[in-house]
Amino acid sequence: MKTRMRTIRILVASGVLVLAVVAAHLGGGAAIGTLCALCPVGFAQIAAASGSVPWGLLPGVLAVLVIVFLIGRAFCSWLCPSQLLKNVFGGHTPRGILGRSGEAPLGDRTAGCASCASVSGDNLKTQGLVLAVLLVVSFAVGFPVFCLLCPIGLVFGTLWALNRVFVLLQPGWELIVFPLMLLAELFLFKRWCSSICPLGFFFGLVGKARARLGLGVRPQADCSTCISKEGCRTCSTVCPEGIDVANPAEATLDGCTFCLDCVENCPTKSIKIRIGDPKEAPREPAAEFLDTEEIEPTHR
């Protein structure tokens, strides 16, 4: 499996993380704590904990949701610190920088380009339930409790603890507790991001609206050159969400994180970034593009 795109994602996420830490360390106007002002979960928790709507945070939250509507859940692949750790240290699930070790694609992918099943937001109900519980607890204790559990917050909390050790020479218990909680969430609860994270509930709702309206940018497969009918499953195998981009009728891609692994690894280069709904394509894909030597490595 090709890894150039993953390496780029690691560099982008690392760069953003470094900028955030430097800005906070220099005491600028972009302190790490202000990042929660853009978080829909943080907004909902603050409203529940305080019993009033924090109207001042609403513009930033709406801006984030608009971006998700236009380009999907790209934050999850390109900026989220927890996904950065998965890309660097993961193995089978979550994936590491050297690729997955041959996880089978989800569902039956043998029907062909025009009828393959796509992965939908099946975990939306679970994420909604987690969000509801967090809001009830936040209301009861008067504090946004998810901020103590959020992997993103734990990453920045760990960096803050390291700053206290090496800059202020003040080691604290956070340097042990925060990393342990982060490792447990990301590597023991391996489906945290897709099945548990309440932020995914908001992203999922926006993704479904985006898919229903047929707007925004998304990867789409050209079935005139796609070889899924011949048995190619590369796009769904390399996709961390198991999405089959080759389905022009069902591939709404509401769970797509825009990692672009499918684009990079497609053996016939049939997947392109386009705007709008996937268009119908010829029923019979071109068989002459089949190259088993290039497909087989993704199924090791």
Side-chain angles (χ1 to χ4, degrees):
M1 174 178 166
K2 300 175 183 177
T3 60
R4 182 179 64 89
M5 193 60 64
R6 179 174 297 113
T7 302
I8 295 175
R9 293 199 305 270
I10 290 174
L11 293 176
V12 170
S14 300
V16 171
L17 191 61
V18 169
L19 288 176
V21 173
V22 170
H25 180 69
L26 295 179
I32 288 177
T34 62
L35 293 176
C36 66
L38 304 176
C39 176
V41 178
F43 176 85
Q45 284 189 114
I46 292 174
S50 63
S52 61
V53 179
W55 296 108
L57 303 181
L58 188 58
V61 172
L62 291 178
V64 168
L65 295 179
V66 169
I67 294 174
V68 173
F69 181 84
L70 294 176
I71 62 175
R73 296 166 53 189
F75 169 82
C76 298
S77 283
W78 291 88
L79 299 179
C80 181
S82 61
Q83 191 63 34
L84 168 63
L85 294 177
K86 287 184 178 183
N87 280 328
V88 174
F89 298 110
H92 181 74
T93 302
R95 303 176 307 158
I97 191 171
L98 297 180
R100 297 196 296 187
S101 57
E103 180 181 356
L106 302 178
D108 182 6
R109 308 287 186 184
T110 60
C113 184
S115 59
C116 293
S118 65
V119 175
S120 60
D122 295 334
N123 299 312
L124 200 60
K125 292 182 179 179
T126 303
Q127 293 170 330
L129 179 61
V130 172
L131 176 63
V133 171
L134 289 172
L135 293 181
V136 170
V137 176
S138 296
F139 174 78
V141 302
F143 183 82
V145 293
F146 183 63
C147 295
L148 300 177
L149 304 173
C150 174
I152 301 174
L154 290 175
V155 169
F156 284 115
T158 301
L159 294 175
W160 174 75
L162 288 172
N163 180 75
R164 288 187 58 186
V165 172
F166 294 106
V167 178
L168 303 179
L169 301 179
Q170 297 177 354
W173 58 268
E174 302 92 346
L175 190 59
I176 298 177
V177 175
F178 286 172
L180 288 178
M181 291 176 62
L182 182 63
L183 291 174
E185 291 177 1
L186 297 183
F187 296 100
L188 295 181
F189 303 102
K190 293 182 178 181
R191 301 305 296 173
W192 171 276
C193 295
S194 62
S195 304
I196 302 175
C197 179
L199 183 58
F201 175 76
F202 289 97
F203 287 177
L205 288 180
V206 174
K208 286 187 176 297
R210 173 175 176 258
R212 182 178 294 274
L213 295 175
L215 301 175
V217 180
R218 69 196 72 209
Q220 297 182 27
D222 181 359
C223 285
S224 64
T225 56
C226 177
I227 53 176
S228 62
K229 190 172 183 180
E230 284 84 351
C232 177
R233 303 178 185 179
T234 302
C235 58
S236 59
T237 301
V238 301
C239 176
E241 306 301 326
I243 297 174
D244 189 350
V245 185
N247 184 359
E250 301 293 337
T252 54
L253 307 186
D254 48 296
C256 177
T257 62
F258 221 71
C259 68
L260 303 183
D261 281 349
C262 59
V263 175
E264 181 182 17
N265 287 275
C266 179
T268 60
K269 303 303 178 184
S270 299
I271 302 176
K272 306 295 182 183
I273 303 302
R274 298 188 176 94
I275 299 176
D277 265 336
K279 302 297 188 294
E280 291 292 343
R283 292 179 179 271
E284 297 296 332
E288 63 267 22
F289 286 96
L290 183 62
D291 186 349
T292 56
E293 291 184 359
E294 190 168 4
I295 296 172
E296 288 176 357
T298 64
H299 299 280
R300 292 192 300 269

